[in-house]
Amino acid sequence: MIEVEHLCKTFTVSRRDAGMKQALGALFRREKETIRALDDVSFRIEDGEMVGYIGPNGAGKSSTIKVMSGILTPDSGNCRINGLVPWKQRKEHVSRIGVVFGSRSQLWWDIPVTDSFALLRDIYRIPDDVYHKNLSRLTEMLSLQQILRTPARQLSLGQRMRCEIAASLLHDPAVLFLDEPTIGLDAVSKLAVRDFIRQLNREKATTIILTTHDMQDIEALAGRIILIGKGKILMDGDTGQLSRQLSPSRTVRVSVRRFADIPLPQGVQLIEKRGEEGGQLIFSVDTEKVPIPQLISLLSAHLEMYDLSVENVSMDELVLSLYRKYQI
């Protein structure tokens, strides 16, 4: 279980304008600014949950992950992960977690991937039987057979990210932090990584916190979203419930053999009609006024339908609505 209570973290940064004169002046008097990266951040994540931790650049996502992984010490507040305080009991804590930073590598650059894995085995003091069992499973699930003997610097980005994920899981962590795990990956690699993460969560009940700007990752993996902006938690809720609250409108496409007049209730609008005697009808539906099952019953009573689809608002549009709502 992850318990975060009233975390605060500030950084002091220097500012100056461009130019030689400004650079010389900064030698004697520097303009400094305090950045509040985390401002009273609190949330709770149960064992086995997959949570999307989202927000714009500079919102505080990576700072939160670094505090929870023991890299940063907060100015104030508490954090307990499976009973341990990350920055106080760091050695014991890191033996129970896995961390993947999309922009940083935990593999040694000039040696084969399998040697990096062996070094991590020694660092984490993984028993040989556990190490070989996990390595075999991860190699198969992430399709690493052909690249284990290749130095990390010669891997493509997609290959390296699969190796990074495997490296973070060799010691069977209970909690996995994924910070932009699919950054720069092609479509095939993204799908492979997503499938693996789902399988890991399903089979081992690993708690997973995912931070990313790729909303397709969030839509495919996370059942819950925590939104952070300007260092504050702005929203915490179920993705489905959130979608219904922010955008109750749905698009319903119906293929019919023959058109007919339909008495449409308030909240349903016919926005397009394709075909002459028969074809496709496209409706915009406010589900707060007319639930989808009610609309389907109405259409079935008046039309001979042979296909129907309901389109939800995309995750990108949903997150954009959140950003506008909270002005971040």
Side-chain angles (χ1 to χ4, degrees), residues 5-266:
E5 298 175 341
H6 309 295
L7 281 186
C8 294
K9 180 66 179 178
T10 58
F11 298 96
T12 300
V13 297
S14 298
R15 307 284 195 195
R16 73 169 177 83
D17 294 327
M20 183 60 70
K21 181 178 180 181
Q22 286 74 14
L24 291 172
L27 294 174
F28 303 98
R29 183 173 60 84
R30 291 189 177 183
E31 179 185 344
K32 294 185 178 181
E33 180 181 353
T34 299
I35 304 297
R36 202 165 185 82
L38 301 176
D39 187 0
D40 197 31
V41 169
S42 298
F43 56 81
R44 178 187 177 111
I45 298 175
E46 300 294 335
D47 293 340
E49 272 196 278
M50 273 204 294
V51 178
Y53 193 51
I54 65 172
N57 291 328
K61 302 185 300 298
S62 293
S63 294
T64 309
I65 297 297
K66 288 175 181 176
V67 168
M68 290 194 293
S69 58
I71 297 172
L72 287 178
T73 300
D75 299 335
S76 61
N78 298 310
C79 175
R80 286 191 174 273
I81 299 179
N82 294 328
L84 301 177
V85 179
W87 58 91
K88 291 182 179 179
Q89 298 159 288
R90 186 174 178 184
K91 286 186 178 180
E92 186 177 358
H93 173 63
V94 297
S95 70
R96 302 182 183 182
I97 67 169
V99 183
V100 177
F101 289 106
S103 57
R104 298 186 181 182
S105 179
Q106 59 188 318
L107 304 174
W108 280 261
W109 203 239
D110 292 313
I111 64 176
V113 171
T114 187
D115 286 350
S116 290
F117 287 173
L119 285 168
L120 290 169
R121 174 196 59 196
D122 295 338
I123 290 171
Y124 285 105
R125 299 178 182 177
I126 306 171
D128 283 344
D129 58 335
V130 175
Y131 170 75
H132 289 297
K133 178 182 176 182
N134 287 345
L135 179 59
S136 177
R137 180 177 62 89
L138 292 166
T139 298
E140 181 179 354
M141 292 174 68
L142 289 168
S143 301
L144 305 180
Q145 294 90 341
Q146 303 300 319
I147 57 177
L148 286 177
R149 299 171 60 192
T150 306
R153 60 182 171 80
Q154 294 180 349
L155 298 176
S156 70
L157 182 56
Q159 291 172 331
R160 184 176 66 80
M161 286 310 303
R162 296 204 308 273
C163 292
E164 296 283 355
I165 293 173
S168 69
L169 294 169
L170 288 170
H171 57 296
D172 275 336
V175 180
L176 180 62
F177 299 108
L178 299 174
D179 190 4
E180 299 285 359
T182 62
I183 186 170
L185 301 191
D186 59 45
V188 174
S189 297
K190 281 187 179 183
L191 291 174
V193 168
R194 288 172 190 161
D195 287 343
F196 171 75
I197 293 170
R198 275 193 295 265
Q199 186 174 352
L200 176 71
N201 177 256
R202 183 173 60 251
E203 294 181 356
K204 296 217 166 190
T206 305
T207 305
I208 298 173
I209 297 90
L210 171 66
T211 72
T212 180
H213 292 293
D214 189 333
M215 291 304 109
Q216 290 182 345
D217 286 346
I218 298 293
E219 189 169 19
L221 298 172
R224 173 184 169 196
I225 290 177
I226 299 176
L227 173 67
I228 185 171
K230 300 177 182 178
K232 293 179 178 289
I233 298 296
L234 302 176
M235 188 280 304
D236 183 350
D238 174 80
T239 52
Q241 180 182 4
L242 180 65
S243 177
R244 290 189 293 271
Q245 288 177 351
L246 289 178
S247 183
S249 178
R250 298 291 183 271
T251 299
V252 176
R253 298 175 183 269
V254 182
S255 296
V256 300
R257 302 191 186 283
R258 186 175 295 275
F259 294 131
D261 293 333
I262 311 169
L264 295 179
Q266 185 179 5

